[in-house]
Amino acid sequence: MILQWEQTEGYPTDGTVGADGVITMGAECIQYNTQSLAKYAFSLFYQALKFAEENQVPILLDYLCRIAQERIRLPVKAKAGDVFTIYNHYLNRYTACQITKVEPNGSAVCLPLDWSGPEPLGAHQLGGLKPLYKDFMYWPRCLRLCNVAAEVPSHYIYVGNRPSFCQESSDVYGPWDDGYEVYRQLQWQEIPEGQRRVFKSAIDSTETVQLAGTEVRVNTRRLHDKYVPFGHAEDLRSLPCLSALNLECWHPGLLEYLRTNPFLTELSFAVPGCQQLDLRGSHLSKLLIDLTDVEELWLNEEMEQLCFLNTEPERCRIHAKEEGARLMLQFRRSVRAHPELTGLHSLHGIEINEIDLQELSSDYPHLRELRLWGKPGNIRNFAAVEQFRELEEFSTYDLFGFTAQEIPGPERMPHLRWFWMTSLPEDAAKEAKKLYQKKRAEGFDLWITKPRKAEWLAQNLDNPFRGWDGAEHIPAAAARKAASQYRKTRSELLKLSQEPGQDVQEYALAAVAAYTQTFNKMRFIETEERDEISTALWGILDALPEGVFQKNALLEEFERLRNF
């Protein structure tokens, strides 16, 4: 009888058994009988034990767990009131969230819960849950509601359903809650209450202080020593809300200031000649650093993001907690192996011209997240992505040089659950969709957009607006107009710089005005598009020789005329 339990037990309670003994799954598949599950699990272990004794082999528990998981399926879509739990890598504990409502458009509202534990949340604990109210840093006390896809991600564990904590909608969109908000709130609560009160009271202050002869608002959040050239780091104590610092030169007392200020969480460090930097004991979570001269870098335990400002490979040795197991490293253009970071959790690459995934998989074998942005650029040995055996999230943007045959199937990427590719070879895009489309029903996050033909790449290498081509909210005619106006403005200003005359500045102002007016007529421009338009113009001006134009005046004209 025990052997039969593997066939007859462990199915959802809304499943039905036909006359032929075949069990048909119900539509929801989220309710299970505890006793039936126990019988099913016992049957698996009983069979494993018998086989192990007869053949004198060990029992592989992870294999048995995978068999059980195939039987116990998550709901395809979440319902209002559903509670889920997930392992939080920041806390090394489990956290939880609730879907409070499902909107008419099909999206769901996700709410983090004020709970964490060493084991997954159990159904018997649903009655004691509370919503998470966050008030860390600049946030007023509030619930953190976010619109998410109603499809349940495959790595979330369904706990049960209870009345929703609220019925509010949200204007925020993003991924399912992974417990990061709980982590940040707990960090905040570890700061002495008196210091927190001083920070909060300064947020709305209208007072100013004198710093290095410059009048600075007390509630300043970010400071750059290029514009406020302060001396000793102790001078920054007069800015209780300061949380981000940009440095281009060394300041006495800097390390002591970083170690004793729990609110300073972001540092941009481009100090020439600095060979060693020890940030242990600080409270930084993000470091942007030029490592050209740095030979050795020690990171603090709370560090989450390490972003290289240098574009050439460096020779720095980096010391990080657990060999980078909680760290995201971001490189620009080229990446160098850091054997001391063999446990690296996440790798981001931007402005890539070329990258070899075979080399990368050897350097960072334990990556769980890999995101790559081209300039555009090429990927060599794309098929080697399957060698990242623990990879959970993978994305590319504006990267080419690989074929459909190099896209590995789901069976070769056992942990992958988030797969986004934008602007890629047309045949590879079709193959990726074909291979992974069916996994969407299991909560797999698939987003393959903007397939490109070879001729498109040749035509758009010098087009900073190539990302507009194929964007859902941007008309094709507008994308073409943007590229055309960019090339026209660049050509006019380059020609003027080569044949400067008495009225060269006036002609340049007219060219910038025409550039700006073209985009003023477009009604879809939001923050991202505005930044791209500005960056494209800055790129044109940066390429022009010095001394011909008053470049600041050209930028001011752009700012004066733009209505987006």
Side-chain angles (χ1 to χ4, degrees), residues 374-376 398 452 456 460-469:
K375 202 172 178 180
D398 260 356
R452 308 298 196 191
W456 178 93
N460 286 277
L461 278 174
D462 66 338
N463 176 17
F465 299 103
R466 59 182 169 271
W468 289 23
D469 186 11

Side-chain angles (χ1 to χ4, degrees), residues 261-481:
N261 184 351
F263 309 113
L264 205 297
T265 57
E266 180 180 329
L267 175 66
S268 179
F269 190 86
V271 179
C274 180
Q275 295 183 328
Q276 293 187 335
L277 183 62
D278 189 346
L279 298 172
R280 287 174 293 185
S282 71
H283 304 273
L284 296 171
S285 60
K286 183 176 183 179
L287 174 65
L288 302 94
I289 185 168
D290 187 335
L291 290 175
T292 301
D293 296 330
V294 182
E295 297 177 358
E296 202 153 17
L297 172 66
W298 287 268
L299 302 178
N300 57 302
E301 291 192 359
E302 298 168 50
M303 186 67 71
E304 299 171 22
Q305 301 178 48
L306 174 62
C307 306
F308 296 166
L309 298 175
N310 47 288
T311 57
E312 296 299 323
E314 22 56 48
R315 53 193 175 93
C316 180
R317 180 174 179 80
I318 301 169
H319 303 273
K321 182 180 180 181
E322 299 173 6
E323 290 73 49
R326 289 177 49 181
L327 186 66
M328 184 281 284
L329 187 152
Q330 177 180 287
F331 66 89
R332 296 177 62 196
R333 298 186 191 172
S334 58
V335 60
R336 183 181 79 81
H338 283 274
E340 70 276 19
L341 296 179
T342 54
L344 190 66
H345 169 277
S346 174
L347 185 66
H348 292 189
I350 61 175
E351 303 176 19
I352 294 171
N353 290 317
E354 184 169 280
I355 189 168
D356 189 329
L357 292 191
Q358 183 69 54
E359 295 177 1
L360 208 61
S361 63
S362 300
D363 298 336
Y364 304 107
H366 299 294
L367 283 183
R368 291 201 294 270
E369 179 187 70
L370 178 60
R371 302 191 185 192
L372 305 170
W373 288 263
K375 202 172 178 180
N378 290 319
I379 294 180
R380 289 194 289 122
N381 296 316
F382 186 95
V385 70
E386 68 181 47
Q387 296 179 24
F388 295 104
R389 303 304 296 170
E390 301 169 37
L391 198 64
E392 298 173 357
E393 300 183 7
F394 177 57
S395 71
T396 68
Y397 185 90
D398 260 356
L399 285 166
F400 304 86
F402 54 95
T403 65
Q405 290 71 37
E406 294 181 85
I407 305 291
E411 72 283 354
R412 307 192 70 83
M413 305 287 289
H415 298 289
L416 193 66
R417 52 181 170 78
W418 189 91
F419 186 21
W420 284 30
M421 300 184 80
T422 300
S423 191
L424 68 158
E426 186 177 43
D427 63 331
K430 291 178 180 177
E431 184 68 10
K433 286 183 178 180
K434 175 184 173 183
L435 290 172
Y436 288 89
Q437 189 71 29
K438 291 183 179 179
K439 286 186 67 66
R440 278 182 162 170
E442 304 169 16
F444 189 87
D445 196 335
L446 180 66
W447 187 258
I448 310 294
T449 60
K450 300 182 182 178
R452 308 298 196 191
K453 297 181 183 294
E455 52 268 29
W456 178 93
L457 186 60
Q459 295 168 2
N460 286 277
L461 278 174
D462 66 338
N463 176 17
F465 299 103
R466 59 182 169 271
W468 289 23
D469 186 11
E472 293 182 1
H473 67 296
I474 298 179
R480 290 193 296 270
K481 182 63 177 176

Side-chain angles (χ1 to χ4, degrees), residues 34-78:
T34 305
Q35 184 177 2
S36 178
L37 282 177
K39 286 182 177 180
Y40 173 67
F42 187 82
S43 177
L44 288 180
F45 282 106
Y46 180 78
Q47 292 178 67
L49 182 60
K50 277 193 66 176
F51 183 87
E53 287 180 340
E54 293 170 0
N55 296 275
Q56 294 297 297
V57 294
I59 300 175
L60 298 179
L61 293 179
D62 61 336
Y63 174 70
L64 292 176
C65 289
R66 284 200 299 271
I67 294 174
Q69 287 171 350
E70 290 176 2
R71 174 68 52 84
I72 305 169
R73 294 190 296 149
L74 286 169
V76 175
K77 289 192 176 183

Side-chain angles (χ1 to χ4, degrees), residues 493 505 508-509 512 537 541 544 549-559:
L493 291 176
Q505 184 69 15
L509 287 169
V512 169
L537 180 59
L541 298 183
L544 299 176
F549 303 107
Q550 298 175 32
K551 294 183 181 181
N552 285 339
L554 297 180
L555 289 173
E556 289 173 3
E557 181 72 354
F558 168 73
E559 292 293 337

